[in-house]
Amino acid sequence: MNLINVNQSECIKCGNCVSVCPSNVLSIEKTGPKVVSANNCIACGQCVAVCPRGALDNIKSPIANQIDIENFPVINSKTAEHFLRSRRSIRCYKDTPVPNKKLLELINIAHYAPTASNSQGISYIIVENKDILEKVSTIIFEWMESQLENPLHWSFPKHVENYKATGIDTILRNAPHLVLATAPKGFKNGRENTIFQLTYAELYATTIGLGSCWAGLFEICAFSNYSPLLSLFNIPEDMVITGAIMVGYPKYTYTKIVDRNPLDVSFIS
Ligand SMILES: Cc1cc2nc3c(=O)[nH]c(=O)nc-3n(C[C@H](O)[C@H](O)[C@H](O)COP(=O)(O)O)c2cc1C
């Protein structure tokens, strides 16, 4: 089967498909686009999506699976700014669990994030069992305490001290769900791809009434391969955790958008 099929009666030989291809799969000939290095195709689907006549199909990213863009509203810059800047890390959650359908919607959008060479490759485990979530935090506090003399992160002593005094869970914040991203062992883009996907999840969450917070302390423990923690999740032998976020319904609404440090940027002309 050919990688690319061109409807010759529709093709206007504009060469857009050739120009946008990130890996030089195509060249433009008098007869239209021609495949010159099929093995380099990363299945990004750009060649199909940019064709003004819908004349090109790619078996790795079929036109049948691509959606006409006219059906998608374009947000204006003010709305986009508000959307991007109003996301906050949520550390106080309602007790109400999020239905699986909504969680799937969240993760589905996350998986549309850009990934290195379109490698994707991230799988998800969603932990919603309260007992396991409690165990996660307890195990991480114990782990932090075991290394107070030389902690992996400066904040460990303060977390342990606070936990002992108040019993408050500053690891998972009593979130009803912990979303774990996983990738095959040795997959070198696993962490980067995860960061993009979870960032998409954090942003999209706000539009469906959800809140999230990056579970960085959890990650430090998971990345150090602490077996009492990892054994809670039944992660397949050939997979590793590459990131985590907490998810739930936010308990509070925010009335202000905060500032950041002054923008630091220079141009080289
Ligand atoms: C990589 C990363 C790790 C983080 N880890 C934690 C964490 O373990 N616990 C937590 O409460 N917040 C964590 N955060 C949230 C940051 O503290 C938060 O993004 C920052 O304070 C800015 O606040 P905002 O997200 O509300 O705008 C993390 C954020 C990132 C990007």
Side-chain angles (χ1 to χ4, degrees):
M1 266 243 267
N2 293 336
L3 175 70
I4 303 283
N5 282 301
V6 180
N7 179 341
Q8 292 296 348
S9 60
E10 285 296 324
C11 177
I12 54 171
K13 288 123 186 117
C14 61
N16 289 1
C17 51
V18 180
S19 303
V20 298
C21 175
S23 40
N24 304 317
V25 171
L26 301 169
S27 76
I28 193 78
E29 313 279 314
K30 278 198 186 115
T31 50
K34 181 184 159 208
V35 175
V36 288
S37 53
N39 289 344
N40 289 350
C41 178
I42 61 169
C44 68
Q46 289 228 5
C47 53
V48 177
V50 82
C51 178
R53 303 292 292 265
L56 188 141
D57 207 351
N58 181 328
I59 52 166
K60 286 191 173 177
S61 180
I63 195 165
N65 296 350
Q66 300 202 9
I67 302 167
D68 281 348
I69 217 147
E70 298 102 74
N71 301 330
F72 277 78
V74 176
I75 51 173
N76 65 38
S77 59
K78 203 72 209 159
T79 310
E81 178 185 353
H82 180 263
F83 161 66
L84 291 167
R85 292 189 61 189
S86 59
R87 176 221 51 84
R88 304 312 313 271
S89 294
I90 300 303
R91 299 186 181 87
C92 301
Y93 296 93
K94 290 181 184 162
D95 228 1
T96 330
V98 181
N100 284 0
K101 191 166 170 252
K102 210 174 177 81
L103 292 165
L104 283 177
E105 181 186 351
L106 179 71
I107 300 309
N108 182 46
I109 295 299
H111 105 290
Y112 289 113
T115 52
S117 298
N118 198 28
S119 51
Q120 306 177 57
I122 307 301
S123 308
Y124 289 91
I125 296 169
I126 302 177
V127 187
E128 48 195 4
N129 178 304
K130 272 192 167 196
D131 293 338
I132 296 181
L133 290 171
E134 260 175 44
K135 268 190 208 149
V136 167
S137 295
T138 313
I139 285 171
I140 295 177
F141 279 121
E142 282 166 7
W143 171 78
M144 284 178 170
E145 196 174 6
S146 73
Q147 46 161 291
L148 281 186
E149 282 187 5
N150 191 16
L152 266 177
H153 191 262
W154 61 268
S155 67
F156 286 4
K158 121 182 132 65
H159 282 287
V160 171
E161 189 188 329
N162 185 59
Y163 180 64
K164 285 193 155 174
T166 66
I168 293 172
D169 172 11
T170 54
I171 308 288
L172 296 185
R173 307 274 173 181
N174 295 316
H177 306 273
L178 177 67
V179 174
L180 302 179
T182 66
K185 273 182 187 162
F187 174 31
K188 72 179 169 54
N189 298 117
R191 176 61 173 165
E192 289 105 310
N193 293 357
T194 293
I195 290 170
F196 279 93
Q197 293 202 357
L198 290 181
T199 301
Y200 263 42
E202 288 219 283
L203 287 166
Y204 187 70
T206 61
T207 72
I208 53 172
L210 297 178
S212 65
C213 184
W214 207 280
L217 294 166
F218 169 90
E219 285 181 343
I220 299 173
C221 186
F223 294 168
S224 78
N225 281 325
Y226 190 55
S227 55
L229 177 70
L230 299 181
S231 64
L232 295 174
F233 309 121
N234 293 323
I235 295 166
E237 273 279 294
D238 52 347
M239 302 289 280
V240 286
I241 292 177
T242 48
I245 56 171
M246 313 155 214
V247 173
Y249 291 107
K251 197 166 172 185
Y252 306 116
T253 46
Y254 290 76
T255 58
K256 300 270 190 289
I257 288 177
V258 292
D259 207 355
R260 296 287 199 220
N261 294 341
L263 181 66
D264 184 3
V265 58
S266 57
F267 292 89
I268 298 176
S269 309

